[in-house]
Amino acid sequence: MNKKKAVIDVFLNIVAVALPTLVLQLIAFPLVAGHGNGQAYGLLTAEYSLMSLLPGTLGTALNNIRLLHDGKYGESSGDFQLLCFSSCGLTILGTLLALVYMGVDSLTGLIYACLASVLWCVREYLLVAFRIQINYKLILINNGLQAIGYLLGCIIYLQGGDFALVLLAGQFLPILHLSLFSDLWREPLRKTPSLGYMAGETSMYALSVFLGRALTYSDRILLIPIVGASLVGAYYASSLVGKILSMIVSPLTTVMLTYLAKAKGRSDKQFSITFAFGSILVAVGMVGVILFARPVLAVLYPAYVDTAMEFVYIVSLSGLINTFASMLNPFIVRFYPMKWQVIINASVLIAYLVFSFGLLSAFGLIGFCIGVLAANILKLALTVGIYCRSRVLEG
C-alpha cells in the first residue's frame, strides 16, 4: 500500500463527502426550515433519510461488490447492469410505499422523489468506476457537482418550487459527469455465469447495509406519523453537530475498504490504530458538541434550538459511537464472511426497535434517543467482539 497516496485519497474523499453534506446541512435544510414551515422541513429531512436508506443502500451494495470482485471478471462484463436495473425498480417501489406512509399525497412530490431515488441509486453504483481506478480526484469533482446541484435546487425552491426538487437537482450534474468520464454505463445489458453469485453477494451486502443504515436513517421516517414533522425537524436539528463531525469518518471507511480490497492479509496493527483513533474521535467530538452545539444551532435553526438542545448530547454521542463502529467495519467486510454483516446489523436493528420505541412510549422522544444510543453501543461491542473472537479462534 502506498501510504502517502492513501493519506491523500482519504483527504480528497473527506472533502468530497463534506461538499454536498455541508451544502445540505448548512444551507439547504436551514433555508427550508426558515423560508417554509415546519412541515416542509420535517418532510425534507425524512425524504433525505429515505434516499440514504433505500437507493443509497442498493447503490452502495452494487458499488462495493463490483469493487471487491472486479478482478474476477477480467475482460468480460455484464451482470451489474441487470442488477442496477433491478435495484432501481426496488427503490421506486420502496420510495412510494415510504412516502405514502409518511403522508405525502402530492403527485408531483411523489414523482420528484421517485426520480431522485433512481438517479441516486445509479450514481452510487457508477462511482465505483473511479474507485476501481483509485481516482479520488474525480470523486471529488463529482461530489462538488452534486453540491452545486443542491444549490440550484435551493434557488428553484425559493422561486416557488417543491422542496423535493432540492434533492432531485443534486443528482443531474453528477450523472452527466459520470457519463462523460466513465464507461461503466456502456456495459452490455447481459448476464454471465457469475450473475447468480453476484446477485447473492449483492443481496447479502445490501441487506447488511440496510440493517445498519436503518439505525441511522429510519428514525425520521418512522417518527413522522407518531410525533409529527415539526418535532422530527427539531430532532434532526439536534443531530447536526454530530453529523458534521462524523462525516469525516465516512470517506475514511470508503478509502479503507478500497485499499483493504487489494490487501492480501489482515493487520491487527491497523485494526488497533483504527480503534485508538475512533476512541479519540468520540472524546474530541463530544467536547466539540458541548462547546459548539448551542451557538451553531442558534445560527442555523433558531426556531428549533431550545427543543433540539433537549436531545443534542444523547443524539450526538449516539452518532459518534455509530461512526466509531463504522470505522472498524471494513475489517469485518473484507476479511470475514458476509453473514457477519447481517448478524451484526440484524441484532442491532432488533435492539433499536425494542429499546427506542419501547422507551418512546414510556418517556417520549428523549426515551427514543436513549434507546438509539443503547443500540449503537451494542453495534460497537459486536463489531469489536467478532473481530477479536475470530482472531483468537484462528490462533
Side-chain angles (χ1 to χ4, degrees):
M1 178 189 297
N2 186 326
K3 293 184 178 180
K4 181 179 179 180
K5 187 176 187 305
V7 170
I8 293 173
D9 285 342
V10 168
F11 173 76
L12 290 174
N13 211 30
I14 288 173
V15 176
V17 172
L19 287 174
T21 302
L22 289 176
V23 168
L24 282 176
Q25 301 287 352
L26 304 182
I27 299 176
F29 290 161
L31 185 150
V32 174
H35 182 79
N37 53 59
Q39 185 77 7
Y41 167 62
L43 283 172
L44 177 60
T45 60
E47 287 193 15
Y48 171 70
S49 297
L50 180 61
M51 295 298 130
S52 300
L53 184 59
L54 290 180
T57 290
L58 293 169
T60 296
L62 288 169
N63 185 304
N64 283 310
I65 296 301
R66 178 60 184 263
L67 175 69
L68 292 171
H69 296 284
D70 186 66
K72 296 180 181 179
Y73 271 75
E75 296 299 321
S76 64
S77 59
D79 294 344
F80 281 90
Q81 294 288 65
L82 291 171
L83 293 174
C84 188
F85 270 93
S86 300
S87 297
C88 289
L90 288 174
T91 199
I92 290 174
L93 178 60
T95 297
L96 286 173
L97 292 174
L99 291 175
V100 170
Y101 168 81
M102 289 189 292
V104 177
D105 54 8
S106 165
L107 179 60
T108 55
L110 292 172
I111 292 173
Y112 292 151
C114 287
L115 286 174
S117 69
V118 169
L119 294 177
W120 197 301
C121 182
V122 171
R123 175 181 176 270
E124 287 286 346
Y125 164 59
L126 291 180
L127 277 173
V128 74
F130 301 153
R131 293 182 69 194
I132 291 171
Q133 302 167 16
I134 315 185
N135 191 335
Y136 282 89
K137 292 180 180 178
L138 286 177
I139 292 178
L140 173 60
I141 293 171
N142 194 269
N143 282 30
L145 291 171
Q146 186 180 47
I148 293 172
Y150 287 144
L151 290 174
L152 293 174
C154 289
I155 294 174
I156 296 172
Y157 170 73
L158 289 175
Q159 298 302 314
D162 193 294
F163 65 84
L165 287 171
V166 174
L167 298 179
L168 177 59
Q171 310 309 313
F172 284 109
L173 291 178
I175 290 291
L176 178 61
H177 175 250
L178 284 162
S179 68
L180 293 175
F181 291 90
S182 165
D183 291 329
L184 207 59
W185 62 277
R186 298 177 186 271
E187 288 186 347
L189 189 66
R190 68 181 180 89
K191 61 181 293 186
T192 75
S194 299
L195 176 61
Y197 175 75
M198 290 302 167
E201 286 289 285
T202 302
S203 299
M204 185 70 73
Y205 191 84
L207 177 60
S208 69
V209 173
F210 178 84
L211 294 172
R213 290 191 176 191
L215 186 64
T216 303
Y217 295 110
S218 65
D219 48 8
R220 276 137 277 175
I221 300 169
L222 296 173
L223 284 172
I224 276 187
I226 300 173
V227 301
S230 295
L231 193 54
V232 167
Y235 170 76
Y236 187 84
S238 71
S239 68
L240 174 64
V241 177
K243 288 181 182 299
I244 292 176
L245 291 170
S246 65
M247 75 180 182
I248 297 173
V249 177
S250 177
L252 172 63
T253 60
T254 300
V255 176
M256 284 173 60
L257 184 58
T258 299
Y259 281 90
L260 286 173
K262 300 180 183 298
K264 296 181 179 180
R266 282 169 288 204
S267 172
D268 289 341
K269 181 180 179 180
Q270 288 180 350
F271 183 87
S272 299
I273 292 172
T274 305
F275 185 90
F277 180 75
S279 301
I280 294 170
L281 176 74
V282 172
V284 173
M286 282 308 299
V287 171
V289 170
I290 292 170
L291 293 176
F292 302 115
R294 178 170 281 278
V296 169
L297 290 173
V299 172
L300 296 176
Y301 299 102
Y304 294 96
V305 60
D306 291 330
T307 305
M309 286 302 299
E310 298 177 17
F311 319 119
V312 69
Y313 300 117
I314 297 175
V315 172
S316 296
L317 178 60
S318 179
L320 287 168
I321 291 176
N322 183 48
T323 299
F324 188 2
S326 298
M327 290 174 60
L328 301 174
N329 193 56
F331 292 92
I332 309 297
V333 172
R334 174 62 181 89
F335 300 116
Y336 295 94
M338 201 62 68
K339 68 176 183 180
W340 286 113
Q341 293 297 302
V342 176
I343 291 172
I344 292 173
N345 291 319
S347 300
V348 173
L349 181 59
I350 292 171
Y352 161 74
L353 294 173
V354 172
F355 293 152
S356 59
F357 286 95
L359 293 173
L360 172 67
S361 61
F363 303 104
L365 196 52
I366 190 70
F368 180 88
C369 297
I370 294 171
V372 175
L373 174 61
N376 277 309
I377 292 173
L378 175 63
K379 180 179 180 180
L380 176 61
L382 286 174
T383 302
V384 175
I386 287 170
Y387 183 89
C388 294
R389 178 180 179 276
S390 298
R391 295 302 283 164
V392 169
L393 292 178
E394 293 169 4

